[in-house]
Amino acid sequence: MQTDNHAKRILLGISGGIAAYKAPMLVRNLRKMGADVVPVLTQNATRFVTETALQAVADNRPRTDLWDADAEAAMGHIELARWADALIIAPATANVIARLANGIADDLLTTLYLATTAPVFVAPAMNVKMWEHAATGRNLERLRDDGVTVLGPADGAQACGEFGPGRMIEPDEIAEKVTAAIGTPRVLDGTRVLITAGPTREFLDPVRFISNRSSGRQGFALAEAAHNAGAQVTLVAGPVHLPTPTGIERIDVVSAKQMKDAVTCRAPHADIFVSVAAVADYRPHTVHGQKLKKSQQRSTDFRVALKENEDIVGSIAGVKPRPFVVGFAAETESPLEHAREKRRRKCMDAIVVNDVSDPAIGFDSSDNAVTLIHAGGEVGLPKMRKGAIARRLVDEIAALYASAGRG
Ligand code: CTP
């Protein structure tokens, strides 16, 4: 076991679900990121993954038993709880989540959970019906209230043949999220950051609307990265299917008008405003109270009159005092030229531009590549995961904010 102060020391709790077969891969992912990992298995977990496999990849002896005299002599369980920089429980079954939520410490893993003061992460993995059960929801809510970070679950095909939420998120994603949360320098400590994300919907009648392809993923990743860097984050989100990152205040809105109202009353309390949302530029001039009928149109050439939505970022950036303002631009041609012009026109301190004509980055992709443009220069960030882009952007924005004399 390493004693190096810089290596992150991770207790990896493994409980008895089929996803436990992925635990050796998670150990490898964590070790690749420089962590020292001690696996801790529940009795049921030993039915799905062997101690031999975990010993080989962790290079530390896995622990399974509170009453193992040899292991306790080498490092007692309280000492082990103190040693950890983080406790990850992956997979976390419905049963282990229930025991943790209720403070039941009847084996080594649940005892370590109560005894450690390190940040705790759980990656739930269970059948979709078990996931949707009210008891599981209550238990997870309690864990969140107790400061535990819940990672996932993912949606998809399950080992039991069902389909839906309940799959453990992949080991590389768990490793990435945990190392980002515990290893991120707190460059935004003490700041209040307001972020918009996702599309807006502009209704024509009760069933039809104008919108765009924004998934909200880049804005949500940025909110998570800013939180991990120490900021107090408020996220104003358009209609998207994304879970709220832990520790973030989320305000759901639908239309550009609602987004503007939500931002306008919060901006005076923010130090930094990042406008990632793809706000619809126009809304239907008339919103019909009832569903429009085809027969109501006199010609086959149906026209909808539109009126312009107010520019949210422009309205915040144009008034003093104001927060440090960062905009986003998704362009399909001459991205840098358009973004430079937009930054000046909307009085923004910086703008982040990406080229959405490339299907490998942008809208529905999990990758992105962007350029950050500010008054003093331009920084290009090559293609990488949206989470990694978000972390780099947070570093850049924090540095610009500090050099503008506001940090
Ligand atoms: N934006 C906003 N309110 C709007 C429209 C855009 O706050 N009504 C913000 C976006 O969140 C983004 C920036 O303005 O940060 C640039 O958005 P974009 O749609 O590219 O700008 P437009 O001025 O609408 O330019 P375009 O002519 O390319 O549509």
Side-chain angles (χ1 to χ4, degrees):
M1 221 177 279
Q2 294 173 21
T3 49
D4 173 6
N5 283 335
H6 299 290
K8 290 295 173 197
R9 298 178 296 203
I10 291 180
L11 283 176
L12 174 60
I14 304 161
S15 61
I18 179 64
Y21 83 90
K22 295 183 178 173
M25 193 49 88
L26 177 52
V27 173
R28 293 200 59 172
N29 289 122
L30 291 165
R31 292 203 65 197
K32 258 195 248 162
M33 293 176 153
D36 186 12
V37 184
V38 173
V40 179
L41 292 85
T42 64
Q43 279 307 318
N44 287 341
T46 61
R47 296 168 183 263
F48 293 96
V49 61
T50 68
E51 290 174 60
T52 318
L54 288 163
Q55 159 95 50
V57 285
D59 203 21
N60 280 321
R61 188 178 155 194
R63 302 278 300 257
T64 52
D65 191 356
L66 197 50
W67 310 110
D68 177 340
D70 289 345
E72 282 290 308
M75 193 193 269
H77 60 274
I78 297 295
E79 220 181 317
L80 196 57
R82 285 196 198 119
W83 169 86
D85 293 315
L87 167 63
I88 307 174
I89 302 170
T93 59
N95 181 47
V96 96
I97 287 170
R99 286 192 288 143
L100 299 178
N102 289 286
I104 296 168
D106 57 356
D107 66 1
L108 179 60
L109 176 56
T110 49
T111 303
L112 287 170
Y113 168 73
L114 281 192
T116 191
T117 53
V120 179
F121 302 82
V122 299
M126 66 195 74
N127 162 273
V128 55
K129 296 288 182 299
M130 295 170 80
W131 170 253
E132 285 167 353
H133 198 285
T136 305
R138 276 195 304 273
N139 290 331
L140 276 161
E141 220 29 66
R142 272 195 175 181
L143 286 185
R144 285 199 183 94
D145 287 346
D146 292 342
V148 171
T149 301
V150 180
L151 306 174
D155 250 306
Q158 301 205 313
C160 51
E162 294 199 55
F163 197 88
R167 281 169 63 94
M168 187 175 83
I169 61 168
E170 292 304 322
D172 58 342
E173 206 181 329
I174 297 175
E176 202 180 293
K177 282 185 183 292
V178 172
T179 44
I182 64 174
T184 305
R186 297 180 65 84
V187 289
L188 288 178
D189 220 6
T191 61
R192 290 157 304 176
V193 177
L194 177 65
I195 299 176
T196 62
T200 64
R201 285 182 186 170
E202 312 302 324
F203 277 85
L204 174 63
D205 68 17
V207 295
R208 303 184 179 96
F209 55 80
I210 298 173
S211 192
N212 58 65
R213 292 178 55 200
S214 169
S215 67
R217 275 197 254 172
Q218 188 63 77
F220 274 60
L222 207 72
E224 188 173 4
H227 168 74
N228 287 338
Q232 187 187 318
V233 180
T234 302
L235 178 61
V236 178
V240 292
H241 300 284
L242 293 173
T244 310
T246 305
I248 283 165
E249 183 197 12
R250 173 175 177 170
I251 317 289
D252 284 310
V253 296
V254 177
S255 66
K257 165 86 173 69
Q258 289 170 354
M259 186 172 276
K260 169 137 197 309
D261 291 346
V263 167
T264 306
C265 65
R266 287 170 180 85
H269 313 292
D271 299 301
I272 300 174
F273 171 46
V274 191
S275 184
V276 194
V279 186
D281 288 331
Y282 294 93
R283 65 182 182 280
H285 198 276
T286 309
V287 184
H288 297 268
Q290 303 299 330
K291 187 183 167 195
L292 276 174
K293 291 290 175 200
K294 229 191 301 184
S295 56
Q296 283 174 284
Q297 311 315 319
R298 285 200 197 90
S299 102
T300 51
D301 193 14
F302 175 46
R303 286 159 196 251
V304 179
L306 300 175
K307 64 179 168 194
E308 199 172 347
N309 280 328
E310 237 185 293
D311 195 283
I312 303 172
V313 74
S315 73
I316 301 299
V319 181
K320 289 201 171 148
R322 65 164 177 77
F324 187 83
V325 175
V326 182
F328 268 66
E331 304 290 347
T332 55
E333 48 159 5
S334 313
L336 295 179
E337 288 74 11
H338 283 303
R340 286 179 196 129
E341 182 277 323
K342 241 171 234 184
R343 190 186 77 79
R344 281 193 297 270
R345 174 164 46 90
K346 301 198 185 195
C347 308
M348 298 187 279
D349 296 292
I351 191 164
V352 179
V353 58
N354 68 335
D355 181 353
V356 286
S357 65
D358 179 350
I361 55 174
F363 290 129
D364 289 323
S365 161
S366 46
D367 290 336
N368 206 352
V370 302
T371 303
L372 175 77
I373 301 172
H374 56 96
E378 300 185 358
V379 186
L381 301 179
K383 184 177 161 198
M384 57 186 115
R385 297 275 283 267
K386 284 184 173 169
I389 289 273
R391 288 193 287 281
R392 295 283 306 275
L393 284 176
V394 159
D395 287 345
E396 298 291 343
I397 292 169
L400 288 174
Y401 174 69
S403 68
R406 295 168 178 249

